[in-house]
Every structure is written in C-alpha cells, then in structure tokens.
C-alpha cells in the first residue's frame, strides 16, 4: 500500500529544528497580522498556515478595489473583514517555509533522511523566483477573463437585472466563468503540488511544475482523494496526541503566556506535518500519473570532490 510511506512524514512531529522554524515564523506572522488589524482599527480573522495556497486571485478578491462586503453577524457586528495586506503578508512569509516543508515531506516519503538546515534553505533560495511564477501564473491567466466578466456584467446589469444583454453575453460569460473557476479553484491544490514538484527535481521549470500540479489535481482526482484520507487520519493522530500533551502541560502551569504558547504548539505541529504530507501525497500521485518511481527524487547538489595531490607524482618530482 503506497500510502504507508506517508507514515515516515510523522517524524517531523518530533524534529525540534523544523518545529522551531515554523513556531518563529508563526509568531512573526501573527504579529504582522496584529499590526495590520491595528492599522485598520478593525478585528481581523487570522488566516491559518493551511490556507497559504492563496494566489493573486485571492488578492483580487480582497483588494481595496473589491466590491465584496465584510461578513456580518445577525446583530450587525463584523465577523470577518478581509484585507489585501493580510493575504499578501501571509503569502510572502509562508511560501518559503511551505517550500521547505514540502521538500522535507518529499524526501521522507521517498525513504530519505532529514536533510541539513542550511543545505535545504540554499535549495529553496535558488528557486524562489520560480515559486513566484507558480503563484502568480494562474491569476494572470484568469485576469483577462475576469476583466471580460466585469465588463459584461456591468453592461448586462447596469439598468435592469434581466435585460436582453444578459442573454447576449450568456454563452461567453458562462464559459469564461467556468474557466476562471477551474483555474483559481484548481490553483488551491495545483500551486502546492507545483511547489512540491519545484523542490523535488533537479532541473525545475515553473511552467512544467505548475502543469504537473494541475495534472495531478484534475486527472488524478480519485487517487488524490484516496491518498488524502489516510493523510488526514495520520495528521489527526499526530495533532491529537500533541493536543493531549498540551492539555496535560497546561494543567500544571498558571501563567497565561506560557499556556498560550503551549496550546498553540499542536497547531505548529499540524502546519509542519500537514505541509510535509502534501509533498508526500504529490510524490505518490506523480508515480500514478507518470510511472516515475517514488525513490526517484533529487537529493540536492553533489559536493565537489577535493583535488588531492598524488603522492607518487610528488615523489617523482622530488
């Protein structure tokens, strides 16, 4: 059963170096969200690390040019008010970390050991430009269709909701809407899988990696669901175990700051293991899509061999 390879990813739940990395980024990220909320003088709903698959399509939806209204509760108070700065802050801060965790998940699923910290960041740093392309490209492709939909909607609904223009633009608008839906909804899975492809192969091309992401999302959807189920079960077991540990630890402490950090720790573990599982799932989907073996993973740049002078040659010269 291929999904048993995902059990190796659970090792990250006890890897202090990588958990500390995610914890530090989480603190910085939440501090930034608090500053953004203070700037707008409004409560803001924190976007969890699970939702860092956001593309520029999300920025279009929550930007200052948007006509979307904040969600309100029955009593009229704000439930959630999205800000484009918060989404951009989330994408910028979490994308490199997500790439690191995806690579760790790929390597562990392939049966490798955990790589070095500095070595991993060197690989990620060289591929950040391609990662930006993967993030931006789905929204760039959808943008012309979005402009057409906004233009057609403005004409069709300018005077009355059921004007004759609604039926004139209907075929094109429906087709454009479906294409936009496929691009942006599919990007929620295709972007993480594309990033996993980016960090798992030696010669990586942004366009090729994103196409691989869409391929395993749409063409291997049944396999994706079948692999997502054991991955989610494994994640629940790991996070649930640490949650129990956290509750036990909190019962022995009275300091509210300590308790807040301890209760946050299961979420840190969930983000770490969850993103790594995405990398593992991609590796298994890649095998079913192209027949490429799971073990066929790029281990990283090879160390340059040292040029040691020959003893015999030096003796002859002497």
């Amino acid at each position: 059963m291929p999904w048993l390879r995902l059990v190796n990813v659970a090792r990250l739940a006890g890897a202090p170096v990588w958990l500390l990395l995610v914890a530090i980024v989480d603190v910085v990220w939440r501090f930034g969200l608090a500053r953004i909320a203070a700037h707008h003088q409004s409560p803001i709903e924190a976007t969890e690390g699970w939702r860092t698959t956001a593309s520029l399509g999300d920025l279009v939806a929550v930007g200052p040019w948007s006509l979307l209204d904040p969600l309100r509760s029955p009593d009229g108070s704000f439930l959630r008010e999205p800000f484009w700065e918060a989404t951009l802050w989330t994408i910028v801060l979490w994308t490199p970390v997500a790439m690191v965790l995806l690579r760790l998940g790929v390597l562990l699923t392939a049966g490798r050991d955990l790589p070095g910290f500095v070595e991993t960041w060197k690989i990620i740093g060289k591929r950040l430009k391609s990662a930006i392309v993967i993030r931006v490209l789905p929204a760039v492709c959808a943008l012309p269709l979005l402009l057409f939909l906004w233009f057609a909607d403005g004409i069709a609904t300018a005077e009355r909701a059921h004007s004759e223009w609604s039926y004139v633009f209907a075929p094109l608008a429906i087709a454009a809407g479906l294409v936009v839906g496929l691009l942006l909804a599919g990007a929620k899975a295709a972007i993480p899988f594309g990033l996993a492809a980016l960090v798992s192969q030696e010669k990586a091309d942004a366009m090729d990696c994103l196409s691989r992401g869409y391929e395993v999302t749409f063409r291997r959807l049944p396999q994706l669901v079948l692999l997502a189920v054991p991955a989610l079960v494994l994640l629940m077991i790991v996070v649930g175990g640490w949650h129990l540990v956290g509750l036990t630890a909190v019962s022995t402490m009275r300091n509210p700051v300590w308790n807040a950090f301890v209760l946050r720790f299961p979420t840190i573990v969930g983000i770490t293991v969850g993103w790594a599982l995405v990398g593992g799932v991609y590796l298994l989907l890649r095998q079913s899509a192209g027949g490429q073996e799971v073990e066929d993973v790029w281990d990283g740049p090879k160390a340059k061999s040292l040029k040691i002078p020959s003893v015999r040659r030096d003796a002859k010269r002497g």
Side-chain angles (χ1 to χ4, degrees):
M1 291 180 285
W3 62 266
L4 288 176
R5 288 179 172 271
L6 297 176
V7 177
N8 296 330
V9 180
R11 291 173 53 188
L12 282 175
V17 174
W18 304 108
L19 291 174
L20 180 62
L21 168 67
V22 175
I24 293 173
V25 174
D26 181 71
V27 170
V28 174
W29 171 65
R30 297 180 74 84
F31 176 78
L33 288 181
R35 298 286 294 181
I36 294 172
H39 174 71
H40 289 274
Q41 298 180 352
S42 176
I44 187 172
E45 182 186 27
T47 305
E48 291 295 344
W50 312 108
R51 299 183 59 189
T52 55
T53 57
S55 63
L56 282 186
D58 298 296
L59 295 183
V60 172
V62 301
W65 49 82
S66 173
L67 299 178
L68 296 178
D69 294 325
L71 299 181
R72 293 177 179 270
S73 60
D75 61 358
S77 60
F78 288 111
L79 287 177
R80 175 176 62 86
E81 186 169 357
F83 301 120
W84 68 271
E85 301 101 315
T87 304
L88 183 61
W89 171 245
T90 300
I91 294 173
V92 170
L93 193 63
W94 279 107
T95 294
V97 181
M99 293 172 66
V100 168
L101 298 176
L102 287 168
R103 176 159 178 81
L104 297 179
V106 165
L107 292 176
L108 290 174
T109 305
R112 308 292 204 278
D113 292 327
L114 286 173
F117 185 85
V118 177
E119 172 193 351
T120 302
W121 275 107
K122 286 182 179 179
I123 295 173
I124 301 305
K126 294 178 180 178
R127 307 195 171 204
L128 279 178
K129 293 181 179 180
S130 298
I132 295 174
V133 175
I134 291 175
R135 288 284 194 184
V136 171
L137 196 56
V140 170
C141 294
L143 187 57
L145 296 176
L146 284 172
L147 293 175
F148 166 74
L149 288 173
W150 289 338
F151 171 77
D153 184 68
I155 295 178
T157 60
E159 297 181 358
R160 57 184 186 275
H162 299 287
S163 66
E164 58 276 6
W165 286 106
S166 299
Y167 300 98
V168 172
F169 283 113
L172 293 176
I174 293 173
L178 291 175
V179 173
V180 170
L182 285 173
L183 282 173
L184 297 186
K188 295 298 182 180
I191 289 178
F193 288 147
L195 294 176
L198 184 67
V199 298
S200 63
Q201 53 193 29
E202 183 176 3
K203 296 180 180 179
D205 177 72
M207 294 285 292
D208 177 65
C209 292
L210 186 60
S211 65
R212 285 172 179 258
Y214 275 106
E215 180 184 9
V216 298
T217 300
F218 291 122
R219 296 186 61 184
R220 295 293 182 270
L221 190 58
Q223 292 91 330
L224 174 58
V225 174
L226 292 176
L227 288 173
V229 172
L232 289 174
V233 171
L234 178 61
L235 184 62
M236 291 173 59
I237 293 174
V238 173
V239 175
W242 275 110
H243 183 67
L244 180 60
V245 172
L247 292 177
T248 306
V250 165
S251 65
T252 64
M253 297 183 295
R254 298 178 58 185
N255 188 286
V257 177
W258 300 350
N259 291 343
F261 276 103
V262 170
L263 292 176
R264 183 67 180 170
F265 187 73
T267 302
I268 300 300
V269 175
I271 294 174
T272 305
V273 178
W275 272 104
L277 283 171
V278 172
V281 169
Y282 164 75
L283 202 63
L284 298 177
L285 287 173
R286 187 191 68 173
Q287 182 185 29
S288 64
Q292 195 171 358
E293 294 298 329
V294 177
E295 294 82 2
D296 188 9
V297 172
W298 180 51
D299 293 321
K302 296 181 179 179
K304 296 181 179 179
S305 58
L306 298 176
K307 295 182 179 180
I308 303 176
S310 174
V311 178
R312 294 181 178 179
R313 185 182 302 173
D314 291 344
K316 290 180 179 180
R317 291 179 180 178

